[in-house]
Amino acid sequence: MGDGTATVTAELDVRLEKHRVELTGYCYRMLGSSFEAEDAVQDTMIRAWRSYEKFEGRSSLRSWLYRIATNVCLDMLTAGNKRARPMDLTDSTPLAQAALSPRPDNTWLEPVPDARVLPTTDDPAEAAVAKESVRLAFVAALQKLPSKQRAVLILREVLAWKASEVAELLDTSVASVNSALQRARATLAEGDGRVAAADVSDPLDDDQQKLLERYVAAFEGYDMAALTALLHEDAVMTMPPFDLWLTGTGDITGFMTTLGAPCAGSHLVPVAVNGLPGFAQYKPDPEQGGFSAWAVQVLEISEGRIAGFHCFLDTARWFPLFDLPLHLEGKPDQTQ
């Protein structure tokens, strides 16, 4: 009897775990937070465990888990907190007025490693949609939607569920689902223009790969002329948890050579983040020697140049999420 129960338990564990990555991606799009998404999925798994005996198989296990996860997320969103990027909250600041004012963690849209939210798939079109739907601009746009519209849009447009399936999941009518989807699409269409998909191939094409190589060389060499050549004239730089954001090559490179001057001599390690190319930035550590974790950079590429780079500075939270050390003894080999 005991062995049989243990076998059933192990089998259920395996069945639930198969859905963890896609559920984390769903909860991340809903909540805009990598940590809250993982908490929501953990809560979903616990609720599924506890009520599995009541699951009568009228729907698939996957649909049932999505129903639980949706309810968990809607409960978490009743507090009304909407995560945002700096450009969603304030106007761009000229360099002359730049001040580093932090806001609490729960203000900000958070980065997330691709591996935690993008399930492996053999379908290139499905993979492309999944990547586009975790990009910072798209997730930021989702945060502006009421929570149920958010769920409908993600389930219908990203996960390609039928309206009837979404209606069943949300205990509502197909007409209500279609109406919510229409309103959600209209809200996204009214956005500020920063929701446009970044021009990033999957995998990166030769030109994009060369652009990133030039970016690494320019940033590590702290060569502002070379960096300027890689940036769009109206490129954007953000640095959560600070609400400051800068527009234009002059202000960005001006910041990097003044307030950002200690970043000279940094080392960049590639990371896959939010369906975009990114880097973990380590800056020289004059006290301990070697390099200390400084930021996770997420790059947006458009028309062959860098349109935005977003530097998430709370390294004690982000680097462990990417399984990266907080300190490097010396500059490691670039082949990592």
Side-chain angles (χ1 to χ4, degrees):
M1 177 78 177
D3 287 350
T5 306
T7 304
V8 170
T9 299
E11 284 172 0
L12 180 55
D13 262 348
V14 170
R15 290 181 70 200
L16 294 178
E17 280 302 316
K18 279 182 184 170
H19 299 284
R20 183 177 289 275
V21 173
E22 66 169 309
L23 286 171
T24 306
Y26 174 62
C27 294
Y28 174 72
R29 296 177 188 102
M30 284 290 289
L31 301 169
S33 161
S34 32
F35 292 106
E36 285 183 3
E38 296 205 342
D39 288 347
V41 172
Q42 201 53 36
D43 194 0
T44 298
M45 296 297 189
I46 291 166
R47 291 189 194 191
W49 251 104
R50 286 180 180 157
S51 54
Y52 186 68
E53 288 178 4
K54 298 176 193 165
F55 171 57
E56 295 163 3
R58 283 175 299 186
S59 62
S60 69
L61 178 68
R62 179 175 182 252
S63 299
W64 184 61
L65 287 171
Y66 269 93
R67 175 190 281 263
I68 298 171
T70 301
N71 288 331
V72 170
C73 288
L74 293 177
D75 287 347
M76 290 172 79
L77 288 166
T78 50
N81 180 45
K82 293 183 179 180
R83 289 174 178 270
R85 303 166 300 168
M87 65 276 278
D88 302 321
L89 301 178
T90 63
D91 290 331
S92 176
T93 312
L95 179 59
Q97 295 163 23
L100 297 177
S101 310
R103 296 202 190 191
D105 289 340
N106 65 2
T107 308
W108 302 116
L109 185 65
E110 296 179 348
V112 70
D114 285 2
R116 291 188 183 237
V117 292
L118 297 176
T120 50
T121 173
D122 296 328
D123 182 341
E126 193 180 302
V129 168
K131 276 197 166 185
E132 284 173 19
S133 69
V134 293
R135 288 182 182 156
L136 293 171
F138 183 75
V139 180
L142 287 176
Q143 304 305 300
K144 295 174 182 174
L145 298 175
S147 50
K148 283 206 171 168
Q149 282 184 32
R150 205 180 300 182
V152 168
L153 186 94
I154 297 165
L155 290 164
R156 291 282 286 118
E157 304 263 293
V158 177
L159 300 174
W161 285 40
K162 295 174 184 166
S164 56
E165 293 170 329
V166 178
E168 188 180 338
L169 182 143
L170 293 173
D171 288 325
T172 188
S173 66
V174 169
S176 173
V177 165
N178 288 336
S179 171
L181 181 60
Q182 210 171 352
R183 291 197 305 275
R185 282 175 175 161
T187 302
L188 291 193
E190 289 163 8
D192 63 1
R194 296 188 189 277
V195 182
D199 304 332
V200 181
S201 308
D202 182 26
L204 296 178
D205 64 31
D206 286 347
D207 288 344
Q208 290 164 355
Q209 200 61 57
K210 284 174 185 159
L211 176 68
L212 291 182
E213 287 166 11
R214 289 166 65 201
Y215 171 77
V216 170
F219 195 97
E220 290 190 341
Y222 233 57
D223 181 338
M224 294 303 134
L227 192 61
T228 298
L230 305 179
L231 296 174
H232 273 281
E233 283 181 19
D234 59 353
V236 168
M237 178 183 185
T238 68
M239 291 162 280
F242 301 114
D243 59 14
L244 167 76
W245 62 285
L246 301 163
T247 310
T249 53
D251 278 2
I252 290 171
T253 56
F255 179 88
M256 289 175 68
T257 51
T258 52
L259 288 173
C263 289
S266 286
H267 174 59
L268 300 182
V269 175
V271 292
V273 53
N274 285 86
L276 292 164
F279 296 95
Q281 178 193 346
Y282 290 86
K283 73 173 187 175
D285 187 332
E287 292 177 14
Q288 295 182 60
F291 297 80
S292 285
W294 182 248
V296 170
Q297 301 182 359
V298 185
L299 302 191
E300 292 171 328
I301 298 171
S302 174
E303 298 170 347
R305 289 191 178 189
I306 293 164
F309 64 117
H310 307 287
C311 307
F312 293 88
L313 302 181
D314 192 349
T315 51
R317 300 176 81 217
W318 304 130
F319 276 56
L321 195 67
F322 286 84
D323 297 320
L324 289 167
L326 291 171
H327 191 83
L328 298 175
E329 284 310 317
K331 187 166 178 176
D333 187 41
Q334 192 63 47
T335 55
Q336 181 169 340

